[in-house]
């Protein structure tokens, strides 16, 4: 396929492999995957990066408690994360682990460059540290003596350390938000960050000496690089940047370091860093300041999403450890369990359709099951089984394009629909032709829920079309046969359009629909969702139902029993 649309680089945060991921973590990755697939379908040359953030005090402590080395610990958890993404059909192009040589050597290079630019100095750190968040705090920043981000206990830290002159970048950061408001969205997050900077930016402690699970500071033994400086760098180290000094890779005995500047040249600056709201501060203040010091271009956008809440509080890994559910809340928060019970597309659809980007939302299994029954089983699944069932019954599955409505072949605009077409055909066809543009507009604004809503308007209109045209009545009479053929073709075409529109969101369902419609497995093209009457002949066959209906009360009772 030609990639005339250019490059598109999208990232997720790199997750801490401190424990298995819960459904809240999958939210961001599912959104990033949908966007990556959407852009690929439109012909962009996409780079979709995810990975794991494996250093830091928290991981070291957890590994020690588990009686294994930190490397052994993260290897096990990371294997599970990769398996989860495989099951969820997450189409990342690269998975970076911060324990890989290709990353570690470049982070040391980044430290060296910032040091040489005069932005790193040595001093003594005295203040508070939140180990779960890996964040430094001053006395005044604490809220009721707890971490202002997560509300947990902080510990006193006093150690020799290196500092990054973050305070020197306050004016340039304020100018960035002011001159390029699209750099940080939603607006509420931008206002918070502006306020944070105005309160006074302190220099940032960027090394630790009280533990050793980290990348060594290249200019002094006994210090490791602060985990956030390490982690944020992943967005460029994965692109093979910065270049390593001659022989650096060989000297370090590295085996996974490849010099590949093409990727950096092609994909940097990133189009979007998708991150949760609590880490917007790192991405919109510390990361741009690091890049300014390095003299590299800034990412085009940082987008902060909200949290999935369980019983009003943020879903957390400890809730997963408790068994993934609360007896009273009747919830499953382990994504593997959810997928085993309801399927990947059910989970993805729920995450993308239920929540509004940027806002927090409640997670309940009940709400998910309602969506699955309503939108997926009743609307989409039913449309497919009605269409293929009637095609089989009345025409042995062979449905040809009717000349009366498509005298010149496929239609590319509503204006081209012939006058002879019935009013309901006209309505359905024009809606189908216009849906792709609506989806594009919503996706431009990361409104996954509205994009799906627009597609479901077409699904619902198609179901209504069946009710209006009553194919079973037409079938009773030989005179109705021509019209019956027209009706069944129009429904099949509508489903073909839907199969393309949903592909970025629900990959398996798209494939299943296309198989039942008898369409080939060729690479899909987004443009083909903007024409109606593309197929000359369908050879459809009714298959398994896409989404079996769930008895919600019975299911919730079964969850209670688990
Ligand atoms: O912060 N709902 O890693 P992390 C929605 N390693 N999103 C949630 C969530 C929930 N209930 N719980 C967590 C880190 N997340 C760093 C990132 S990037 C250079 C380094 C999201 O594993 C959270 O908002 O603690 C964050 O964006 C992501 O999961 C990773 O969290």
């Amino acid at each position: 396929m030609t990639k005339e649309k250019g490059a598109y680089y999208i990232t997720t945060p790199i997750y801490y492999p401190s424990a298995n991921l819960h459904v809240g973590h999958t939210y961001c990755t599912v959104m990033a995957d949908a966007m990556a697939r959407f852009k690929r379908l439109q012909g962009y040359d996409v780079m979709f990066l995810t990975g794991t953030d494996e250093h830091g005090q928290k991981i070291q402590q957890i590994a020690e408690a588990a009686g294994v080395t930190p490397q052994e610990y993260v290897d096990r958890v990371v294997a599970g994360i990769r398996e989860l993404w495989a099951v969820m059909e997450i189409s990342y192009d690269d998975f970076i682990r911060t324990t890989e040589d290709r990353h570690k050597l470049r982070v040391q290079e980044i430290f060296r460059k910032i040091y040489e630019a005069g932005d790193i100095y040595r001093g003594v750190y005295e203040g508070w540290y939140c180990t779960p968040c890996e964040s430094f705090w001053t006395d005044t920043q604490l809220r009721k003596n707890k971490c202002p981000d997560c509300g947990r206990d902080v510990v006193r830290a006093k150690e020799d350390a290196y500092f990054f002159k973050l305070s020197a970048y306050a004016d340039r950061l304020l100018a960035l938000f002011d001159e390029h408001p699209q750099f940080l969205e939603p607006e509420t997050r931008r206002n918070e960050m502006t306020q944070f900077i105005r309160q006074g930016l302190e220099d940032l402690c960027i090394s630790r000496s009280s533990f050793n699970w980290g990348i060594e500071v290249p200019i002094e033994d006994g210090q490791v690089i602060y985990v956030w400086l390490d982690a944020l760098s992943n967005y460029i180290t994965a692109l093979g940047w910065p270049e390593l000094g001659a022989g650096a890779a060989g000297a370090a005995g590295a085996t996974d370091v490849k010099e590949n500047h093409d990727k950096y040249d092609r994909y940097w600056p990133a189009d979007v860093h998708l991150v949760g709201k609590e880490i917007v501060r790192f991405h919109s203040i510390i990361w741009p300041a690091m890049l300014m010091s390095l003299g590299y271009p800034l990412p085009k956008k940082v987008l902060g999403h909200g949290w999935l809440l369980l019983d009003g509080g943020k879903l957390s890994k400890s809730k997963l450890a408790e068994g993934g559910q609360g007896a009273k809340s009747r919830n499953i928060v382990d994504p593997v369990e959810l997928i085993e019970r309801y399927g990947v597309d059910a989970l993805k659809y729920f995450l993308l359709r239920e929540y509004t980007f940027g806002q927090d939302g409640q997670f309940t299994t009940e709400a998910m099951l309602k969506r699955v029954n309503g939108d997926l089983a009743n609307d989409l699944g039913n449309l497919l089984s009605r269409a293929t069932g009637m095609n089989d019954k009345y025409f042995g599955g062979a449905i040809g394009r009717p000349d009366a409505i498509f005298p010149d072949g496929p239609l590319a605009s509503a204006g081209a629909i012939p006058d002879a077409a019935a009013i309901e055909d006209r309505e359905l066809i024009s809606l189908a032709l216009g849906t792709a543009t609506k989806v594009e507009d919503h996706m431009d604004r990361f409104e996954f829920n509205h994009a799906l809503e627009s597609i479901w308007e077409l699904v619902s209109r198609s179901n209504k079309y069946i009710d209006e045209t009553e194919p079973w009545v037409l079938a009773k009479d030989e005179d109705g046969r021509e019209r019956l053929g027209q009706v069944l073709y129009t429904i099949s075409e509508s489903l073909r359009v839907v199969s393309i529109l949903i592909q970025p969101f629900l990959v398996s369902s798209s494939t299943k629909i296309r198989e039942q419609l008898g369409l080939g497995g060729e690479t899909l093209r987004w443009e083909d969702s903007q024409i109606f009457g593309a197929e000359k002949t369908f050879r459809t066959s009714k298959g398994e139902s896409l989404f079996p209906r769930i008895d919600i009360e019975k299911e919730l009772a079964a969850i209670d029993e688990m």
Side-chain angles (χ1 to χ4, degrees):
M1 197 194 343
T2 52
K3 301 281 185 191
E4 74 277 5
K5 295 233 171 165
Y8 185 83
Y9 182 23
I10 181 166
T11 67
T12 71
I14 50 174
Y15 298 93
Y16 287 129
S18 52
N20 292 339
L21 302 187
H22 56 63
V23 68
H25 296 109
T26 69
Y27 175 51
C28 182
T29 299
V30 164
M31 287 192 285
D33 182 64
M35 187 54 87
R37 288 181 182 275
F38 175 70
K39 292 285 178 183
R40 282 191 205 108
L41 195 52
Q42 288 190 309
Y44 284 88
D45 169 13
V46 171
M47 168 77 188
F48 168 22
L49 178 69
T50 190
T52 40
D53 183 4
E54 307 187 10
H55 295 122
Q57 196 168 5
K58 180 169 66 175
I59 303 260
Q60 180 162 350
Q61 285 172 353
I62 292 174
E64 273 163 14
V68 293
T69 65
Q71 191 67 56
E72 283 167 343
Y73 185 85
V74 294
D75 283 350
R76 187 179 56 75
V77 180
V78 172
I81 293 176
R82 296 186 82 134
E83 238 169 78
L84 173 65
W85 295 154
V87 172
M88 294 189 73
E89 300 177 296
I90 300 301
S91 63
Y92 58 78
D93 296 292
D94 197 356
F95 187 104
I96 188 152
R97 299 184 58 179
T98 56
T99 49
E100 289 171 304
D101 285 336
R102 63 168 171 156
H103 175 76
K104 290 197 285 191
L105 292 171
R106 292 194 166 89
V107 168
Q108 290 182 323
E109 192 61 22
I110 286 169
F111 188 101
R112 217 177 269 121
K113 280 182 187 293
I114 299 178
Y115 181 73
E116 281 161 12
D119 277 339
I120 288 178
Y121 62 91
R122 203 173 185 289
V124 177
Y125 177 75
E126 193 165 4
W128 300 99
Y129 197 71
C130 173
T131 310
C133 291
E134 305 280 10
S135 303
F136 295 101
W137 299 109
T138 61
D139 285 330
T140 49
Q141 285 171 327
L142 294 184
R143 201 173 301 145
K144 294 190 182 145
N145 295 326
K146 308 269 186 192
C147 168
D149 271 356
C150 72
R152 283 177 281 207
D153 286 338
V154 287
V155 288
R156 192 78 192 155
K158 183 175 181 190
E159 48 195 77
D160 289 341
Y162 285 91
F163 289 82
F164 170 55
K165 285 189 193 164
L166 185 61
S167 57
Y169 288 92
D171 291 342
R172 285 177 66 183
L173 289 167
L174 286 174
L176 168 68
F177 296 160
D178 198 37
E179 288 159 22
H180 303 283
Q182 78 289 350
F183 171 77
L184 173 57
E185 286 176 348
E187 199 184 348
T188 46
R189 300 273 101 82
R190 190 162 67 242
N191 296 340
E192 279 167 22
M193 290 306 113
T194 309
Q195 212 184 337
F196 186 86
I197 299 171
R198 291 226 168 91
Q199 278 166 1
L201 275 189
E202 307 251 341
D203 286 347
L204 177 71
C205 181
I206 52 159
S207 74
R208 304 288 313 270
S209 56
S210 54
F211 67 97
N212 60 11
W213 180 238
I215 301 173
E216 286 160 17
V217 167
I219 55 172
E220 186 184 327
D221 289 344
Q223 295 265 351
V224 294
I225 295 174
Y226 174 46
V227 68
W228 273 98
L229 190 118
D230 164 357
L232 291 162
S233 303
N234 91 89
Y235 302 126
I236 56 173
T237 63
L239 303 178
W241 200 257
E243 288 176 292
L244 296 174
T255 53
D256 59 358
V257 177
K258 281 196 214 80
E259 288 295 323
N260 186 357
H261 315 148
D262 301 352
K263 277 196 179 168
Y264 176 82
D265 293 340
R266 177 125 189 90
Y267 297 113
W268 193 256
D271 289 85
V272 59
H273 292 317
L274 219 53
V275 301
K277 63 179 186 178
E278 85 283 22
I279 60 172
V280 160
R281 186 170 58 90
F282 296 95
H283 285 81
S284 64
I285 294 181
I286 299 175
W287 179 226
M290 280 170 63
L291 290 166
M292 285 172 186
S293 176
L294 290 161
Y296 300 159
L298 305 185
K300 292 178 204 161
K301 190 186 278 301
V302 173
L303 212 52
H305 64 75
W307 288 338
L308 265 55
L309 307 175
L310 189 66
D311 302 332
K314 183 178 173 230
L315 244 163
S316 69
K317 285 175 182 149
S318 51
K319 287 185 176 144
L320 183 65
E322 281 161 15
Q325 58 202 287
K328 271 190 250 88
S329 63
R330 307 167 118 195
N331 282 315
I332 299 178
V333 295
D334 177 356
V336 177
E337 179 85 40
L338 286 167
I339 292 165
E340 276 171 6
R341 295 176 88 89
Y342 318 118
V344 175
D345 281 3
L347 175 58
K348 283 184 170 176
Y349 180 80
F350 176 68
L351 293 174
L352 294 167
R353 175 66 185 81
E354 185 78 2
Y355 303 100
T356 301
F357 194 99
Q359 293 174 17
D360 292 348
Q362 283 297 328
F363 177 86
T364 70
T365 311
E366 184 174 3
M368 175 167 158
L369 299 183
K370 283 186 175 154
R371 283 267 175 221
V372 175
N373 272 357
D375 301 5
L376 297 178
N378 288 356
D379 295 349
L380 181 61
N382 208 18
L383 176 63
L384 180 68
S385 73
R386 287 170 101 185
T388 51
M390 290 190 292
N391 290 354
D392 276 354
K393 187 169 171 194
Y394 303 131
F395 290 94
I399 308 287
R401 184 169 58 207
D403 291 337
I405 306 179
F406 304 94
D408 306 316
L411 299 170
S413 74
I417 304 172
D419 295 340
I423 179 79
E424 57 270 18
D425 294 34
R426 186 176 288 283
E427 275 182 28
L428 178 59
I429 297 172
S430 18
L431 184 70
L433 285 169
T435 303
T437 315
K438 290 186 206 159
V439 174
E440 285 166 18
D441 289 346
H442 293 308
M443 291 299 274
D444 275 350
R445 294 189 293 272
F446 288 79
E447 295 166 350
F448 300 93
N449 56 344
H450 294 320
L452 286 172
E453 220 169 17
S454 300
I455 301 173
W456 256 254
E457 274 168 27
L458 177 59
V459 171
S460 301
R461 185 65 190 85
S462 305
N463 272 318
K464 186 169 162 234
Y465 175 86
I466 299 181
D467 302 338
E468 288 167 350
T469 53
E470 299 183 310
W472 49 91
V473 175
L474 295 171
K476 283 190 184 141
D477 190 340
E478 196 45 43
D479 291 350
R481 191 138 180 98
E482 189 189 345
R483 178 64 185 143
L484 179 64
Q486 287 176 1
V487 164
L488 294 185
Y489 179 83
T490 306
I491 300 163
S492 304
E493 259 298 293
S494 182
L495 268 163
R496 180 193 62 81
V497 170
V498 168
S499 77
I500 302 173
L501 297 173
I502 62 167
Q503 194 274 348
F505 314 96
L506 308 174
V507 192
S508 305
S509 301
S510 163
T511 308
K512 285 184 196 160
I513 294 174
R514 295 183 70 81
E515 278 166 7
Q516 294 195 25
L517 290 178
L519 300 170
E522 74 279 3
T523 315
L524 299 193
R525 298 183 317 168
W526 184 249
E527 307 87 275
D528 291 339
S529 67
Q530 282 152 306
I531 53 174
F532 204 94
E535 281 306 296
K536 245 182 135 171
T537 314
F538 285 97
R539 291 195 187 283
T540 72
S541 55
K542 190 167 159 67
E544 259 180 46
S545 89
L546 277 187
F547 297 95
R549 262 190 80 83
I550 299 165
D551 181 332
I552 297 182
E553 266 319 305
K554 234 167 124 182
E555 183 59 21
L556 292 175
I559 296 171
D560 279 348
E561 295 295 308
M562 278 168 37

